[in-house]
Amino acid sequence: MLELNQVCLLPGASAFDHVFPPGKITVVLGANQSGKTNLCRLIAGLTSSADGNVVLGGIPLTGRPPAGRPVALVYQAFVNYPNLTVAQNIASPLVAAGMNRSDINTQVQLLAQRLRIDDLLDQFPGQLSGGQQQRLAIARALAKNAEVLLLDEPLVNLDFKLREALEWELRDLLTGSNLTVIYTSSDPKDAFNLADQVLVLEAGNKLQSGPPMTVYSHPDSLSVMHLLSDPAVNVLIRDGHVLAVRPEHLSLQPGGRRFNLQVTAVETSGDESFVHGRLQTSSTAQSDGADWVVRLRGMTGLAAGQSVAVYAQPQDMQEFPVGAH
Amino acid sequence: MNRGHFSTWVLVGFCLYLLLPLYWLFSMAIRDNADIVGGFELIPAHPTLANFAEIFSNPVWYQAFGNSLTYVVINTFVSLLVAIPAAYTFSRFRFLGDRQLFFWLLTNRMAPPAVFLLPFFQLYSAIGLFDTPLAVALAHCLFTVPLSVWILEGFFSAVPRALDEMARLDGHSFGYFFLRIFLPINRGAIGVTLFFCFMFSWVELLLARTLSGSDAKPVVVVMTRTVSASGIDWGVLAAAGVLTVLPGIVVVWFVRKHLVKGFALGRVT
């Protein structure tokens, strides 16, 4: 069990405690500069501006050098030893651990097969594609046979199709292993695809944690709701409260609460459409002219300039006090 | 296409212009003195290797080559030995006065070597280092070490720090990382630096002449003093010249791929 005690991720952020459940994937969700990388570096024992105690299985890791921690890390940039072959790269932690030659070879074969790079063993990292380079980095991280695997936005530099494919592979690879996985991301999709648990960070502060669906349906604050939503949450400020509705929870079917939108733009990808609109004046609303987005299945017949009524079910609307995000 | 044709000829002309003195040196080296002063010959009519034989049999000549190579090798070795750790430190750590120190290294390059002649001469005479290859090598280090640190720092800084961290996370010691990963990655940079140290030390005349007496006389000095009773021995001098150019060509051949990059990274950033 990996515990954080009084960890302060960024200068000026408030310290927090957190427990990463063992053998589970925790997705740390946060925008840029939210302290995700600092969190990884703190756990790995690398220099960073983060401060606090990291305890693994009851033993404090503070003060231990990176080599002495059962922690492996995959960087956002593809970091491999450029002068070593793929096989030598994977073998690197095993060589450092002093394993004998034949065991290393078996282990390298096994890991290369799991990451599907077994036909590239004699090549150099510079000859590989981005996806293959990151597979190699993951294979090397797994070779360390650590208890904790840190993945710091590992797929963010890949194109999106490759990203999705690798993400599913990673999920299969990591679930069922005894690894405590910490996967940082700014994409809420990763949380739903991969996570057993999510930890939501903002500017170095812990906002909320829990199973992804729980955090999704019961966000503590508007910020959490924003971070778990792509595109952004629709907001209406009213009577000292913030009323928030996710784009996917608005529908053209009558039922529930009605909002009037003046359509400004329609984006469609064929299987789904985003209708951008400006919220129309109503007697009680104070935030007239707020920009809203509606996410609809399939194509729509809507066009810019039209007025349209959209509806939200009461259980899909969240209310927060103003200023508490 | 016309344009391409024209630029090809410009290039060919330029190469001929550059190669002409070298060719003339070589053609003189394979002729005897009477032939050389006799008349104009584009292609030597009676080529001979006697001049080279003279150099390899006369101790004044081959010892001079030995002396030169000795201090050049010592200089290159010491420069790299000192500059590699220094450049790594400048590229990886921030410490009090690091920028000032880095700049100060370069200020040594701003003074002409002649400025240092007198202190070196007096100092080496006082401690008995005068007229040894080591004396010349150490004096040259004053110029090659800062240059080496400057060149290597540029290359080293281009290697992501994440690689250092990766090695630590993998469990490697610093020594293993530095010798097995970091230096092999930078072997091109080290080759380029080696080239600059070698070349500086090999062609430098002033310090080499002043700091060596009769025992450690380098080849460039012998070349300036080759006047025998029968006048100047043109052929032998030219042969010595050819042999002096050779090491440079060999070194350039080995580092040619990295040389352009080396010049670019030696820039002021």
Side-chain angles (χ1 to χ4, degrees), chain A residues 41 46 66-67 73 75 79-83 92-93 96 140 144, chain B residues 162-163 165-172 176 180-181 184-185 187:
Chain A
R41 296 180 66 89
L46 301 169
L73 171 65
Y75 285 86
V79 179
N80 296 301
Y81 306 119
N83 59 321
S92 162
R140 200 187 46 240
K144 194 181 175 185
Chain B
L163 215 59
E165 293 169 355
M166 200 76 244
R168 279 163 65 198
L169 279 164
D170 279 358
H172 294 304
Y176 181 93
R180 301 294 297 275
I181 293 161
I185 291 172
R187 56 176 182 267

Side-chain angles (χ1 to χ4, degrees), chain A residues 2 5 19 40 55 64 78 143 148 152 182-183 220 223-224 228 230 245 249 251 266 272 288 292 296 299 318 325:
Chain A
L2 181 68
N5 288 333
V19 176
C40 289
V55 182
R64 275 216 235 169
F78 314 134
V148 179
D152 190 8
I182 299 173
Y183 184 107
D220 281 351
S223 297
V224 173
L228 273 147
D230 176 37
V245 192
H249 288 153
S251 142
V266 180
E272 56 179 11
D288 302 316
W292 277 34
L296 299 169
M299 315 271 278
Q318 306 281 344
H325 31 102

